[in-house]
Amino acid sequence: MPRRVLILGGTSDARALAGLLPGAVSSLAGRVRAPVLPPGEVRVGGFGGIDGLVDYLRAERITHVVDATHPFAARMTAHAAEACAATGVPLVILRRPGWSSVPGDRWIRVPSLPAAADLVPRLGSRVFLTTGRQDLATFAGLDPWFLVRSVDPPDPPVPHRMLSLLDRGPFTVEGERALLREHAIDLLVTKDSGGPTGAKLTAARELGVPVIMVDRPPLPPGVPVVRTPEEAAALG
Ligand code: NAP
């Protein structure tokens, strides 16, 4: 059977991998209205749960799956593990490393977004929230003022004191420093996404701003993990 790779995407690493694997098909969830598209063939939209993904793998004669979704896209990652186990299609997870603190950082690690929301009112009054527009409901009942940055406009429920900033990375340290100063930010909340959106962390360190860092959800057991698109492309 000819090799046909399915890349579960939505990240810059997934786009890089698509460039390394001509003939692969990239899958996007369809959340972003004008996504940056990967090179090559692209399909958009959910598969319809585990059963839908099983059907897709069979119908499209997929021989390998690379889960290159965002580290917080835990449902898609779990579905890929289940569907690949059911069909016998080999699966690799491509996950860039998370961020590590360096001297000068004032990070508080928390296990989940609700845990971050619990801490926010105790730590800040002007909060830069970069966890994405889909997770704003978790912060909706809180009193601090929020600067919320997202690619598309947030949908309610959102924090009642909020400024929405529509922008897409990559961002520079200079730009992030200016943003934190302009809005007198005294707390940053971010997921441990890893990768190129880390300029905000450097700016926070330089300005002495504390950071609530939300840890990644666990990976499914038994699935091999690689760190770079090049490693993923070399497999299979
Ligand atoms: P999720 O909660 O793990 O997935 C929810 C459902 O969305 C999945 O069950 C699946 O629907 C569909 N889906 C997710 N990723 C898909 C993909 N690559 N191709 C086709 N269907 C997909 O995912 P999420 O956190 O909403 O993330 C959605 C997308 O945005 C992902 O591609 C992810 O890489 C990207 N992204 C997420 C974040 C984040 O913070 N979560 C940040 C940046 C980018 P069915 O069950 O119908 O198959």
Side-chain angles (χ1 to χ4, degrees):
M1 194 155 70
R3 178 174 137 127
R4 182 151 165 83
V5 181
L6 171 65
I7 302 170
L8 300 171
T11 60
S12 53
D13 278 350
R15 289 193 291 277
L17 179 60
L20 298 173
L21 291 176
V25 55
S26 294
S27 175
L28 302 178
R31 300 267 195 283
V32 177
R33 280 175 206 163
V36 184
L37 289 176
E41 186 180 339
V42 179
R43 68 162 297 285
V44 180
F47 297 96
I50 297 166
D51 292 344
L53 182 54
V54 165
D55 292 345
Y56 178 89
L57 296 177
R58 290 190 173 132
E60 295 293 320
R61 298 175 178 272
I62 299 296
T63 59
H64 299 77
V65 177
V66 181
D67 171 10
T69 55
H70 189 271
F72 283 79
R75 182 179 300 186
M76 187 70 251
T77 292
H79 287 186
E82 295 270 354
C84 286
T87 52
V89 175
L91 170 67
V92 170
I93 296 175
L94 167 56
R95 278 293 179 286
R96 60 198 180 192
W99 289 312
S100 301
S101 58
V102 299
D105 280 329
R106 298 172 60 197
W107 292 9
I108 302 106
R109 283 199 174 267
V110 295
S112 65
L113 283 161
D118 277 350
L119 266 184
V120 161
R122 280 184 265 160
L123 296 182
S125 57
R126 296 185 61 83
V127 185
F128 185 24
L129 189 59
T130 64
T131 50
R133 72 186 168 101
Q134 291 182 68
D135 296 311
L136 291 181
T138 314
F139 299 86
L142 303 182
D143 282 333
W145 179 87
F146 288 90
L147 175 65
V148 172
R149 182 166 65 196
S150 54
V151 175
D152 286 325
D155 298 319
V158 298
H160 55 274
R161 301 203 302 137
M162 177 190 94
L163 177 65
S164 166
L165 178 64
L166 301 185
D167 207 349
R168 189 191 320 245
F171 304 103
T172 64
V173 175
E174 294 70 31
E176 300 292 61
R177 198 191 297 124
L179 193 67
L180 296 184
R181 281 204 174 116
E182 180 189 346
H183 295 285
I185 296 299
D186 59 11
L187 179 65
L188 168 66
V189 182
T190 179
K191 295 171 174 171
D192 185 4
S193 304
T197 52
K200 61 193 169 194
L201 299 172
T202 307
R205 182 191 321 127
E206 289 177 2
L207 298 178
V209 171
V211 176
I212 297 180
M213 179 68 67
V214 182
D215 281 337
R216 298 170 168 202
L219 290 169
V223 181
V225 180
V226 297
R227 294 300 188 188
T228 64
E230 290 73 19
E231 283 175 87
L235 294 169

